[in-house]
Each structure stands twice: as C-alpha cells, then as structure tokens.
Amino acid sequence: MKKIAVVLLFFITALGNAQTWVTNIEEAKTLAAKENKTILLVFSGSDWCAPCMKLEKVVWKSEEFKQEAENKWILLRADFPKKKGNQLSAELTASNKKLAEKYNKGGNFPLVVMLDKTGKVIGMTGFKNVTAEEYIKMINSLVK
C-alpha cells in the first residue's frame, strides 16, 4: 500500500510540474487573454538544431523556467523536425509554416518571440549560451 501511495504521489508531483506547450496560435492568444499573460513563441528544430536542443535541456526543462512560465507566459512551440520518424502531422506542419511566415521570415533557429495577447511582437531573441536564470532575465527584459 505504501508503494502505491509513493508512486501515486510521484506522478501527481510530476504532472503538477509539467509545462504545457500549445501548438496553435489562436489557442495561445485565447489563453493569454484569459490569463492576462504574454506568449512565448519558440521556433525550434528539435532533432537537428544543436542550439535548440541545448535550450531545451538547459532552459525549457529547468525548474526555474517552469516556475516563471507558470506565472507569466503561455508557451507556444513551432517545431520543424527533419528526421522522418519525428515528422509532425500535415496540419501541424502547415500551422508551423504559417507561424514562420509571420514571425520568423529569416528562418532563424532557435528563435524566441515574445507576443502580447493579441499576437503583436514585443521582442525576440535567439540562442545565448547562458544559465536558465540568465536566459529568463533576458526574456523578461524583452517584455518591459
């Protein structure tokens, strides 16, 4: 019985700390308006872009980022994987391409774009080889 309780507690804690990345700009804008948050849009190449993978590991998965994101941002990801086994649905691929046409015309990876709740660009940045805490400060400086 104790083992079950420990396992259940572990899963509840893990779910509570999980961050939610949306993949639809309209959903992100609706949530941002409802929760009075800004949108953090990330363009990534999850299976080929080394700086994207480093941001994922060092920043996006960090506890500091998860806590900050929970309070301030709606997370929107536009991923562009290249490996055949990682391909997205045709619908999601088309949606990501539309996001790139509007917000990432230069094709930069990774690219972090801060948007207000209506989808207007507030600021943008790319990869910086810094700690999660330093990257969060940089993101926050884009919003001010």
Side-chain angles (χ1 to χ4, degrees), residues 9-76:
L9 181 62
F10 171 78
F11 282 116
I12 290 170
T13 303
L15 287 173
N17 290 332
Q19 46 186 299
T20 303
W21 290 84
V22 297
T23 56
N24 178 290
I25 184 71
E26 295 308 320
E27 179 184 355
K29 288 193 282 190
T30 299
L31 288 169
K34 179 181 174 185
E35 298 177 26
N36 197 30
K37 294 180 179 180
T38 53
I39 300 168
L40 186 144
L41 167 58
V42 176
F43 288 93
S44 69
S46 62
D47 63 3
W48 59 270
C49 170
C52 299
M53 291 183 250
K54 186 160 186 179
L55 266 181
E56 178 74 25
K57 181 180 177 184
V58 174
V59 179
W60 310 145
K61 289 188 176 182
S62 73
E63 287 306 313
E64 296 93 344
F65 178 79
K66 290 175 186 177
Q67 289 174 2
E68 192 81 5
E70 177 70 27
N71 296 319
K72 292 187 175 178
W73 307 310
I74 300 300
L75 305 176
L76 173 62

Short mmCIF file of all heavy atoms in Angstrom, two decimals, residues 9-76:
data_model
loop_
_atom_site.label_atom_id
_atom_site.label_comp_id
_atom_site.label_asym_id
_atom_site.label_seq_id
_atom_site.Cartn_x
_atom_site.Cartn_y
_atom_site.Cartn_z
N LEU A 9 1.95 9.64 -5.55
CA LEU A 9 2.45 10.96 -5.18
C LEU A 9 3.48 11.45 -6.19
O LEU A 9 3.48 12.61 -6.60
CB LEU A 9 3.05 10.94 -3.77
CG LEU A 9 3.58 12.28 -3.25
CD1 LEU A 9 2.44 13.29 -3.16
CD2 LEU A 9 4.24 12.10 -1.90
N PHE A 10 4.35 10.55 -6.64
CA PHE A 10 5.36 10.90 -7.64
C PHE A 10 4.71 11.39 -8.93
O PHE A 10 5.08 12.42 -9.48
CB PHE A 10 6.27 9.70 -7.93
CG PHE A 10 7.19 9.92 -9.09
CD1 PHE A 10 8.34 10.69 -8.95
CD2 PHE A 10 6.91 9.39 -10.34
CE1 PHE A 10 9.19 10.92 -10.02
CE2 PHE A 10 7.75 9.61 -11.41
CZ PHE A 10 8.89 10.37 -11.26
N PHE A 11 3.71 10.66 -9.42
CA PHE A 11 3.05 11.04 -10.66
C PHE A 11 2.27 12.35 -10.53
O PHE A 11 2.27 13.17 -11.42
CB PHE A 11 2.13 9.92 -11.16
CG PHE A 11 2.87 8.81 -11.83
CD1 PHE A 11 2.87 7.55 -11.29
CD2 PHE A 11 3.59 9.05 -13.00
CE1 PHE A 11 3.57 6.52 -11.90
CE2 PHE A 11 4.28 8.03 -13.62
CZ PHE A 11 4.27 6.76 -13.07
N ILE A 12 1.63 12.55 -9.39
CA ILE A 12 0.90 13.80 -9.17
C ILE A 12 1.88 14.97 -9.15
O ILE A 12 1.63 16.01 -9.76
CB ILE A 12 0.07 13.73 -7.86
CG1 ILE A 12 -1.09 12.75 -8.05
CG2 ILE A 12 -0.43 15.11 -7.46
CD1 ILE A 12 -1.84 12.43 -6.79
N THR A 13 3.01 14.81 -8.48
CA THR A 13 4.03 15.85 -8.43
C THR A 13 4.59 16.12 -9.82
O THR A 13 4.76 17.26 -10.23
CB THR A 13 5.17 15.45 -7.47
OG1 THR A 13 4.60 15.19 -6.19
CG2 THR A 13 6.21 16.54 -7.36
N ALA A 14 4.87 15.07 -10.56
CA ALA A 14 5.41 15.22 -11.91
C ALA A 14 4.43 15.95 -12.82
O ALA A 14 4.81 16.83 -13.59
CB ALA A 14 5.76 13.86 -12.50
N LEU A 15 3.17 15.61 -12.71
CA LEU A 15 2.16 16.28 -13.53
C LEU A 15 2.00 17.74 -13.12
O LEU A 15 1.80 18.60 -13.97
CB LEU A 15 0.81 15.56 -13.42
CG LEU A 15 0.71 14.22 -14.14
CD1 LEU A 15 -0.61 13.54 -13.81
CD2 LEU A 15 0.86 14.39 -15.63
N GLY A 16 2.12 18.00 -11.85
CA GLY A 16 1.99 19.37 -11.36
C GLY A 16 3.13 20.26 -11.85
O GLY A 16 2.97 21.45 -12.01
N ASN A 17 4.30 19.67 -12.08
CA ASN A 17 5.45 20.43 -12.53
C ASN A 17 5.62 20.42 -14.04
O ASN A 17 6.55 21.01 -14.56
CB ASN A 17 6.73 19.89 -11.88
CG ASN A 17 6.77 20.20 -10.40
OD1 ASN A 17 6.20 21.18 -9.96
ND2 ASN A 17 7.44 19.36 -9.64
N ALA A 18 4.75 19.74 -14.74
CA ALA A 18 4.86 19.68 -16.19
C ALA A 18 4.41 21.00 -16.79
O ALA A 18 3.47 21.62 -16.33
CB ALA A 18 4.01 18.53 -16.72
N GLN A 19 5.13 21.41 -17.82
CA GLN A 19 4.72 22.63 -18.50
C GLN A 19 3.91 22.25 -19.72
O GLN A 19 4.08 21.20 -20.30
CB GLN A 19 5.93 23.46 -18.87
CG GLN A 19 7.05 22.67 -19.49
CD GLN A 19 8.28 23.51 -19.71
OE1 GLN A 19 8.20 24.47 -20.43
NE2 GLN A 19 9.37 23.14 -19.10
N THR A 20 3.02 23.13 -20.08
CA THR A 20 2.15 22.87 -21.21
C THR A 20 2.54 23.78 -22.36
O THR A 20 2.43 25.00 -22.26
CB THR A 20 0.68 23.13 -20.81
OG1 THR A 20 0.36 22.31 -19.69
CG2 THR A 20 -0.25 22.80 -21.95
N TRP A 21 2.98 23.18 -23.44
CA TRP A 21 3.29 23.91 -24.67
C TRP A 21 2.12 23.72 -25.61
O TRP A 21 1.72 22.59 -25.89
CB TRP A 21 4.56 23.36 -25.32
CG TRP A 21 5.82 23.67 -24.57
CD1 TRP A 21 6.33 22.98 -23.52
CD2 TRP A 21 6.71 24.75 -24.83
NE1 TRP A 21 7.50 23.56 -23.09
CE2 TRP A 21 7.76 24.65 -23.89
CE3 TRP A 21 6.73 25.78 -25.76
CZ2 TRP A 21 8.82 25.56 -23.85
CZ3 TRP A 21 7.79 26.67 -25.72
CH2 TRP A 21 8.82 26.56 -24.77
N VAL A 22 1.54 24.81 -26.08
CA VAL A 22 0.49 24.71 -27.07
C VAL A 22 1.12 24.83 -28.45
O VAL A 22 2.26 25.28 -28.59
CB VAL A 22 -0.62 25.77 -26.86
CG1 VAL A 22 -1.32 25.57 -25.53
CG2 VAL A 22 -0.08 27.18 -26.97
N THR A 23 0.39 24.40 -29.46
CA THR A 23 0.92 24.41 -30.82
C THR A 23 0.03 25.22 -31.77
O THR A 23 0.26 25.21 -32.97
CB THR A 23 1.08 22.98 -31.36
OG1 THR A 23 -0.18 22.31 -31.26
CG2 THR A 23 2.14 22.21 -30.58
N ASN A 24 -0.96 25.90 -31.22
CA ASN A 24 -1.90 26.64 -32.03
C ASN A 24 -1.93 28.09 -31.57
O ASN A 24 -2.21 28.37 -30.40
CB ASN A 24 -3.29 25.99 -31.90
CG ASN A 24 -4.35 26.72 -32.69
OD1 ASN A 24 -4.74 27.83 -32.34
ND2 ASN A 24 -4.83 26.09 -33.74
N ILE A 25 -1.66 29.02 -32.48
CA ILE A 25 -1.58 30.44 -32.13
C ILE A 25 -2.91 30.98 -31.59
O ILE A 25 -2.92 31.78 -30.66
CB ILE A 25 -1.07 31.29 -33.32
CG1 ILE A 25 -0.88 32.78 -32.92
CG2 ILE A 25 -2.01 31.20 -34.51
CD1 ILE A 25 0.26 33.06 -32.02
N GLU A 26 -4.02 30.52 -32.15
CA GLU A 26 -5.31 31.01 -31.68
C GLU A 26 -5.58 30.55 -30.25
O GLU A 26 -6.09 31.32 -29.43
CB GLU A 26 -6.44 30.59 -32.63
CG GLU A 26 -6.34 31.21 -34.01
CD GLU A 26 -6.20 32.74 -34.00
OE1 GLU A 26 -6.89 33.40 -33.18
OE2 GLU A 26 -5.42 33.27 -34.80
N GLU A 27 -5.24 29.32 -29.96
CA GLU A 27 -5.37 28.81 -28.58
C GLU A 27 -4.48 29.61 -27.65
O GLU A 27 -4.88 29.98 -26.54
CB GLU A 27 -5.00 27.32 -28.53
CG GLU A 27 -5.10 26.73 -27.14
CD GLU A 27 -4.65 25.27 -27.06
OE1 GLU A 27 -4.35 24.66 -28.10
OE2 GLU A 27 -4.60 24.76 -25.93
N ALA A 28 -3.25 29.90 -28.08
CA ALA A 28 -2.32 30.68 -27.26
C ALA A 28 -2.87 32.07 -26.98
O ALA A 28 -2.81 32.56 -25.85
CB ALA A 28 -0.96 30.76 -27.95
N LYS A 29 -3.43 32.72 -28.00
CA LYS A 29 -3.98 34.07 -27.81
C LYS A 29 -5.19 34.04 -26.87
O LYS A 29 -5.33 34.92 -26.02
CB LYS A 29 -4.35 34.70 -29.16
CG LYS A 29 -3.14 35.09 -29.98
CD LYS A 29 -3.47 35.98 -31.15
CE LYS A 29 -4.03 35.26 -32.31
NZ LYS A 29 -4.15 36.10 -33.53
N THR A 30 -6.03 33.03 -27.01
CA THR A 30 -7.19 32.90 -26.13
C THR A 30 -6.75 32.72 -24.68
O THR A 30 -7.26 33.39 -23.78
CB THR A 30 -8.07 31.71 -26.57
OG1 THR A 30 -8.53 31.95 -27.90
CG2 THR A 30 -9.26 31.52 -25.64
N LEU A 31 -5.79 31.83 -24.46
CA LEU A 31 -5.28 31.59 -23.10
C LEU A 31 -4.60 32.84 -22.55
O LEU A 31 -4.78 33.18 -21.37
CB LEU A 31 -4.31 30.41 -23.10
CG LEU A 31 -4.92 29.03 -23.29
CD1 LEU A 31 -3.83 27.99 -23.53
CD2 LEU A 31 -5.76 28.65 -22.07
N ALA A 32 -3.82 33.52 -23.39
CA ALA A 32 -3.12 34.72 -22.94
C ALA A 32 -4.10 35.81 -22.51
O ALA A 32 -3.89 36.48 -21.50
CB ALA A 32 -2.20 35.23 -24.05
N ALA A 33 -5.17 35.97 -23.28
CA ALA A 33 -6.19 36.96 -22.92
C ALA A 33 -6.90 36.57 -21.63
O ALA A 33 -7.11 37.40 -20.74
CB ALA A 33 -7.18 37.11 -24.06
N LYS A 34 -7.24 35.31 -21.53
CA LYS A 34 -7.97 34.81 -20.36
C LYS A 34 -7.13 34.92 -19.08
O LYS A 34 -7.64 35.28 -18.02
CB LYS A 34 -8.37 33.35 -20.60
CG LYS A 34 -9.11 32.70 -19.47
CD LYS A 34 -9.44 31.26 -19.81
CE LYS A 34 -10.05 30.54 -18.63
NZ LYS A 34 -10.26 29.12 -18.90
N GLU A 35 -5.83 34.59 -19.20
CA GLU A 35 -4.95 34.56 -18.03
C GLU A 35 -4.09 35.81 -17.88
O GLU A 35 -3.26 35.88 -16.97
CB GLU A 35 -4.06 33.31 -18.11
CG GLU A 35 -4.85 32.01 -18.09
CD GLU A 35 -3.98 30.77 -18.23
OE1 GLU A 35 -2.79 30.83 -17.86
OE2 GLU A 35 -4.50 29.75 -18.72
N ASN A 36 -4.28 36.79 -18.79
CA ASN A 36 -3.51 38.03 -18.78
C ASN A 36 -2.00 37.75 -18.76
O ASN A 36 -1.27 38.24 -17.90
CB ASN A 36 -3.92 38.92 -17.61
CG ASN A 36 -3.44 40.34 -17.80
OD1 ASN A 36 -3.33 40.82 -18.92
ND2 ASN A 36 -3.15 41.01 -16.70
N LYS A 37 -1.56 36.98 -19.74
CA LYS A 37 -0.15 36.61 -19.87
C LYS A 37 0.35 36.97 -21.27
O LYS A 37 -0.43 37.18 -22.18
CB LYS A 37 0.04 35.10 -19.65
CG LYS A 37 -0.28 34.64 -18.25
CD LYS A 37 -0.06 33.15 -18.13
CE LYS A 37 -0.35 32.65 -16.72
NZ LYS A 37 -0.14 31.19 -16.62
N THR A 38 1.66 37.00 -21.40
CA THR A 38 2.26 37.16 -22.72
C THR A 38 2.53 35.77 -23.29
O THR A 38 2.53 34.77 -22.57
CB THR A 38 3.56 37.98 -22.67
OG1 THR A 38 4.43 37.40 -21.72
CG2 THR A 38 3.30 39.43 -22.31
N ILE A 39 2.76 35.74 -24.59
CA ILE A 39 3.01 34.46 -25.29
C ILE A 39 4.49 34.36 -25.59
O ILE A 39 5.09 35.29 -26.14
CB ILE A 39 2.20 34.39 -26.60
CG1 ILE A 39 0.70 34.50 -26.30
CG2 ILE A 39 2.52 33.11 -27.37
CD1 ILE A 39 -0.16 34.74 -27.53
N LEU A 40 5.08 33.24 -25.22
CA LEU A 40 6.47 32.96 -25.53
C LEU A 40 6.45 31.93 -26.66
O LEU A 40 6.07 30.79 -26.46
CB LEU A 40 7.19 32.40 -24.30
CG LEU A 40 8.68 32.18 -24.44
CD1 LEU A 40 9.36 32.50 -23.12
CD2 LEU A 40 9.02 30.78 -24.85
N LEU A 41 6.77 32.38 -27.87
CA LEU A 41 6.76 31.53 -29.06
C LEU A 41 8.18 31.09 -29.35
O LEU A 41 9.08 31.93 -29.50
CB LEU A 41 6.19 32.31 -30.25
CG LEU A 41 6.36 31.73 -31.65
CD1 LEU A 41 5.76 30.34 -31.78
CD2 LEU A 41 5.75 32.68 -32.69
N VAL A 42 8.39 29.78 -29.45
CA VAL A 42 9.72 29.23 -29.72
C VAL A 42 9.71 28.50 -31.05
O VAL A 42 8.91 27.59 -31.26
CB VAL A 42 10.15 28.26 -28.60
CG1 VAL A 42 11.48 27.62 -28.94
CG2 VAL A 42 10.22 28.97 -27.27
N PHE A 43 10.60 28.91 -31.94
CA PHE A 43 10.84 28.18 -33.19
C PHE A 43 12.03 27.28 -32.95
O PHE A 43 13.10 27.75 -32.58
CB PHE A 43 11.14 29.16 -34.34
CG PHE A 43 9.93 29.92 -34.79
CD1 PHE A 43 9.64 31.17 -34.26
CD2 PHE A 43 9.09 29.39 -35.75
CE1 PHE A 43 8.52 31.87 -34.67
CE2 PHE A 43 7.96 30.08 -36.17
CZ PHE A 43 7.68 31.33 -35.63
N SER A 44 11.81 25.98 -33.16
CA SER A 44 12.89 25.03 -32.90
C SER A 44 12.97 23.97 -33.98
O SER A 44 12.00 23.69 -34.68
CB SER A 44 12.70 24.36 -31.53
OG SER A 44 11.58 23.51 -31.56
N GLY A 45 14.14 23.42 -34.08
CA GLY A 45 14.39 22.24 -34.91
C GLY A 45 14.82 21.16 -33.93
O GLY A 45 16.02 20.98 -33.67
N SER A 46 13.85 20.50 -33.35
CA SER A 46 14.08 19.63 -32.20
C SER A 46 15.03 18.46 -32.44
O SER A 46 15.62 17.95 -31.50
CB SER A 46 12.75 19.09 -31.68
OG SER A 46 12.12 18.30 -32.68
N ASP A 47 15.19 18.04 -33.70
CA ASP A 47 16.04 16.88 -33.92
C ASP A 47 17.26 17.16 -34.80
O ASP A 47 17.97 16.26 -35.20
CB ASP A 47 15.22 15.71 -34.50
CG ASP A 47 14.63 16.01 -35.87
OD1 ASP A 47 14.88 17.09 -36.43
OD2 ASP A 47 13.91 15.13 -36.37
N TRP A 48 17.54 18.42 -35.08
CA TRP A 48 18.69 18.74 -35.91
C TRP A 48 19.44 20.00 -35.48
O TRP A 48 20.59 20.20 -35.85
CB TRP A 48 18.28 18.91 -37.38
CG TRP A 48 17.25 19.99 -37.60
CD1 TRP A 48 15.89 19.84 -37.57
CD2 TRP A 48 17.48 21.38 -37.84
NE1 TRP A 48 15.27 21.06 -37.78
CE2 TRP A 48 16.23 22.01 -37.96
CE3 TRP A 48 18.62 22.16 -37.98
CZ2 TRP A 48 16.08 23.37 -38.20
CZ3 TRP A 48 18.48 23.52 -38.23
CH2 TRP A 48 17.21 24.10 -38.34
N CYS A 49 18.82 20.87 -34.72
CA CYS A 49 19.40 22.15 -34.34
C CYS A 49 20.04 22.02 -32.95
O CYS A 49 19.34 21.97 -31.94
CB CYS A 49 18.28 23.21 -34.34
SG CYS A 49 18.74 24.79 -33.62
N ALA A 50 21.37 21.99 -32.92
CA ALA A 50 22.09 21.81 -31.65
C ALA A 50 21.77 22.90 -30.63
O ALA A 50 21.50 22.59 -29.46
CB ALA A 50 23.59 21.71 -31.89
N PRO A 51 21.75 24.19 -31.01
CA PRO A 51 21.38 25.21 -30.02
C PRO A 51 19.95 25.05 -29.52
O PRO A 51 19.67 25.33 -28.35
CB PRO A 51 21.56 26.53 -30.78
CG PRO A 51 22.51 26.23 -31.88
CD PRO A 51 22.24 24.80 -32.26
N CYS A 52 19.04 24.57 -30.39
CA CYS A 52 17.65 24.32 -29.95
C CYS A 52 17.62 23.24 -28.88
O CYS A 52 16.90 23.36 -27.89
CB CYS A 52 16.78 23.88 -31.14
SG CYS A 52 16.66 25.07 -32.48
N MET A 53 18.39 22.19 -29.11
CA MET A 53 18.43 21.08 -28.15
C MET A 53 19.04 21.53 -26.83
O MET A 53 18.59 21.13 -25.76
CB MET A 53 19.19 19.90 -28.73
CG MET A 53 18.46 19.22 -29.87
SD MET A 53 19.34 17.78 -30.49
CE MET A 53 19.86 18.39 -32.09
N LYS A 54 20.05 22.40 -26.91
CA LYS A 54 20.67 22.90 -25.68
C LYS A 54 19.69 23.79 -24.91
O LYS A 54 19.60 23.69 -23.68
CB LYS A 54 21.95 23.66 -25.99
CG LYS A 54 22.67 24.06 -24.72
CD LYS A 54 24.11 24.37 -24.92
CE LYS A 54 24.74 24.63 -23.55
NZ LYS A 54 26.14 24.92 -23.64
N LEU A 55 18.95 24.66 -25.61
CA LEU A 55 17.94 25.47 -24.93
C LEU A 55 16.90 24.58 -24.25
O LEU A 55 16.48 24.87 -23.13
CB LEU A 55 17.22 26.39 -25.92
CG LEU A 55 17.75 27.80 -26.10
CD1 LEU A 55 16.90 28.56 -27.10
CD2 LEU A 55 17.85 28.54 -24.80
N GLU A 56 16.48 23.55 -24.94
CA GLU A 56 15.51 22.61 -24.37
C GLU A 56 16.04 22.02 -23.07
O GLU A 56 15.34 22.02 -22.05
CB GLU A 56 15.21 21.49 -25.38
CG GLU A 56 14.25 20.44 -24.89
CD GLU A 56 12.81 20.91 -24.83
OE1 GLU A 56 12.43 21.84 -25.58
OE2 GLU A 56 12.04 20.36 -24.04
N LYS A 57 17.26 21.55 -23.11
CA LYS A 57 17.85 20.87 -21.95
C LYS A 57 18.17 21.84 -20.81
O LYS A 57 17.83 21.57 -19.66
CB LYS A 57 19.14 20.15 -22.39
CG LYS A 57 19.83 19.40 -21.31
CD LYS A 57 21.08 18.73 -21.82
CE LYS A 57 21.84 18.04 -20.71
NZ LYS A 57 23.09 17.46 -21.18
N VAL A 58 18.79 22.97 -21.13
CA VAL A 58 19.27 23.88 -20.10
C VAL A 58 18.19 24.84 -19.59
O VAL A 58 18.10 25.10 -18.40
CB VAL A 58 20.49 24.69 -20.61
CG1 VAL A 58 20.92 25.76 -19.61
CG2 VAL A 58 21.65 23.75 -20.92
N VAL A 59 17.36 25.34 -20.50
CA VAL A 59 16.39 26.37 -20.11
C VAL A 59 14.98 25.81 -19.98
O VAL A 59 14.39 25.82 -18.90
CB VAL A 59 16.41 27.57 -21.08
CG1 VAL A 59 15.37 28.61 -20.67
CG2 VAL A 59 17.80 28.19 -21.13
N TRP A 60 14.41 25.34 -21.08
CA TRP A 60 12.99 24.97 -21.09
C TRP A 60 12.65 23.88 -20.07
O TRP A 60 11.56 23.87 -19.52
CB TRP A 60 12.50 24.52 -22.46
CG TRP A 60 12.82 25.42 -23.62
CD1 TRP A 60 13.10 25.00 -24.88
CD2 TRP A 60 12.86 26.85 -23.69
NE1 TRP A 60 13.34 26.09 -25.71
CE2 TRP A 60 13.18 27.23 -25.00
CE3 TRP A 60 12.66 27.85 -22.75
CZ2 TRP A 60 13.31 28.55 -25.40
CZ3 TRP A 60 12.80 29.18 -23.15
CH2 TRP A 60 13.11 29.53 -24.45
N LYS A 61 13.57 22.96 -19.80
CA LYS A 61 13.29 21.88 -18.84
C LYS A 61 13.71 22.23 -17.41
O LYS A 61 13.50 21.43 -16.50
CB LYS A 61 13.98 20.59 -19.28
CG LYS A 61 13.32 19.98 -20.50
CD LYS A 61 13.87 18.61 -20.82
CE LYS A 61 13.09 18.01 -21.99
NZ LYS A 61 13.57 16.66 -22.29
N SER A 62 14.27 23.40 -17.21
CA SER A 62 14.73 23.77 -15.87
C SER A 62 13.54 24.11 -14.97
O SER A 62 12.51 24.59 -15.42
CB SER A 62 15.68 24.97 -15.94
OG SER A 62 14.96 26.16 -16.23
N GLU A 63 13.73 23.88 -13.69
CA GLU A 63 12.69 24.22 -12.71
C GLU A 63 12.45 25.73 -12.67
O GLU A 63 11.32 26.17 -12.52
CB GLU A 63 13.05 23.70 -11.32
CG GLU A 63 12.91 22.19 -11.18
CD GLU A 63 11.53 21.68 -11.57
OE1 GLU A 63 10.52 22.27 -11.12
OE2 GLU A 63 11.45 20.70 -12.32
N GLU A 64 13.52 26.52 -12.82
CA GLU A 64 13.38 27.97 -12.79
C GLU A 64 12.45 28.43 -13.93
O GLU A 64 11.58 29.26 -13.71
CB GLU A 64 14.74 28.67 -12.96
CG GLU A 64 15.72 28.41 -11.84
CD GLU A 64 16.65 27.22 -12.13
OE1 GLU A 64 16.37 26.42 -13.03
OE2 GLU A 64 17.66 27.10 -11.42
N PHE A 65 12.67 27.87 -15.12
CA PHE A 65 11.84 28.27 -16.25
C PHE A 65 10.40 27.81 -16.06
O PHE A 65 9.46 28.56 -16.32
CB PHE A 65 12.39 27.71 -17.57
CG PHE A 65 11.53 28.08 -18.75
CD1 PHE A 65 11.62 29.34 -19.31
CD2 PHE A 65 10.62 27.18 -19.26
CE1 PHE A 65 10.80 29.70 -20.37
CE2 PHE A 65 9.80 27.53 -20.33
CZ PHE A 65 9.90 28.79 -20.89
N LYS A 66 10.22 26.60 -15.59
CA LYS A 66 8.86 26.08 -15.39
C LYS A 66 8.08 26.96 -14.43
O LYS A 66 6.91 27.27 -14.68
CB LYS A 66 8.91 24.64 -14.86
CG LYS A 66 9.40 23.63 -15.88
CD LYS A 66 9.55 22.26 -15.27
CE LYS A 66 10.16 21.28 -16.25
NZ LYS A 66 10.38 19.97 -15.64
N GLN A 67 8.72 27.40 -13.36
CA GLN A 67 8.04 28.25 -12.38
C GLN A 67 7.72 29.62 -12.97
O GLN A 67 6.62 30.15 -12.79
CB GLN A 67 8.90 28.39 -11.12
CG GLN A 67 8.95 27.12 -10.31
CD GLN A 67 9.93 27.21 -9.14
OE1 GLN A 67 10.53 28.23 -8.90
NE2 GLN A 67 10.07 26.11 -8.43
N GLU A 68 8.68 30.19 -13.68
CA GLU A 68 8.47 31.51 -14.29
C GLU A 68 7.36 31.44 -15.34
O GLU A 68 6.49 32.31 -15.40
CB GLU A 68 9.78 31.99 -14.93
CG GLU A 68 9.78 33.43 -15.32
CD GLU A 68 10.06 34.38 -14.17
OE1 GLU A 68 10.35 33.94 -13.04
OE2 GLU A 68 9.97 35.59 -14.40
N ALA A 69 7.41 30.41 -16.17
CA ALA A 69 6.42 30.25 -17.24
C ALA A 69 5.02 30.08 -16.67
O ALA A 69 4.06 30.65 -17.21
CB ALA A 69 6.78 29.05 -18.12
N GLU A 70 4.90 29.35 -15.61
CA GLU A 70 3.59 29.12 -14.99
C GLU A 70 2.90 30.43 -14.63
O GLU A 70 1.71 30.57 -14.78
CB GLU A 70 3.77 28.25 -13.74
CG GLU A 70 2.51 27.98 -12.97
CD GLU A 70 1.55 27.05 -13.69
OE1 GLU A 70 2.00 26.22 -14.49
OE2 GLU A 70 0.33 27.18 -13.45
N ASN A 71 3.68 31.39 -14.18
CA ASN A 71 3.13 32.66 -13.72
C ASN A 71 3.00 33.73 -14.79
O ASN A 71 2.19 34.64 -14.64
CB ASN A 71 3.99 33.22 -12.58
CG ASN A 71 3.97 32.32 -11.37
OD1 ASN A 71 2.93 31.78 -11.01
ND2 ASN A 71 5.12 32.14 -10.76
N LYS A 72 3.81 33.65 -15.85
CA LYS A 72 3.90 34.79 -16.76
C LYS A 72 3.56 34.52 -18.22
O LYS A 72 3.19 35.45 -18.93
CB LYS A 72 5.32 35.36 -16.73
CG LYS A 72 5.69 36.00 -15.43
CD LYS A 72 7.03 36.68 -15.55
CE LYS A 72 7.35 37.42 -14.27
NZ LYS A 72 8.65 38.06 -14.34
N TRP A 73 3.76 33.30 -18.71
CA TRP A 73 3.71 33.10 -20.15
C TRP A 73 2.81 31.94 -20.58
O TRP A 73 2.65 30.96 -19.87
CB TRP A 73 5.11 32.80 -20.69
CG TRP A 73 6.14 33.81 -20.31
CD1 TRP A 73 6.05 35.17 -20.43
CD2 TRP A 73 7.43 33.56 -19.73
NE1 TRP A 73 7.18 35.77 -19.98
CE2 TRP A 73 8.05 34.81 -19.54
CE3 TRP A 73 8.11 32.41 -19.36
CZ2 TRP A 73 9.33 34.93 -19.01
CZ3 TRP A 73 9.38 32.53 -18.84
CH2 TRP A 73 9.97 33.79 -18.66
N ILE A 74 2.28 32.09 -21.76
CA ILE A 74 1.66 30.98 -22.47
C ILE A 74 2.74 30.48 -23.42
O ILE A 74 3.31 31.26 -24.20
CB ILE A 74 0.41 31.43 -23.26
CG1 ILE A 74 -0.65 32.01 -22.31
CG2 ILE A 74 -0.14 30.27 -24.10
CD1 ILE A 74 -1.15 31.06 -21.23
N LEU A 75 3.07 29.21 -23.36
CA LEU A 75 4.16 28.65 -24.16
C LEU A 75 3.63 28.09 -25.47
O LEU A 75 2.77 27.22 -25.48
CB LEU A 75 4.86 27.55 -23.36
CG LEU A 75 5.38 27.95 -21.97
CD1 LEU A 75 5.96 26.75 -21.25
CD2 LEU A 75 6.38 29.09 -22.08
N LEU A 76 4.18 28.58 -26.57
CA LEU A 76 3.77 28.19 -27.91
C LEU A 76 5.01 27.70 -28.65
O LEU A 76 6.00 28.43 -28.74
CB LEU A 76 3.13 29.38 -28.64
CG LEU A 76 2.77 29.22 -30.11
CD1 LEU A 76 1.72 28.12 -30.32
CD2 LEU A 76 2.26 30.55 -30.66
#
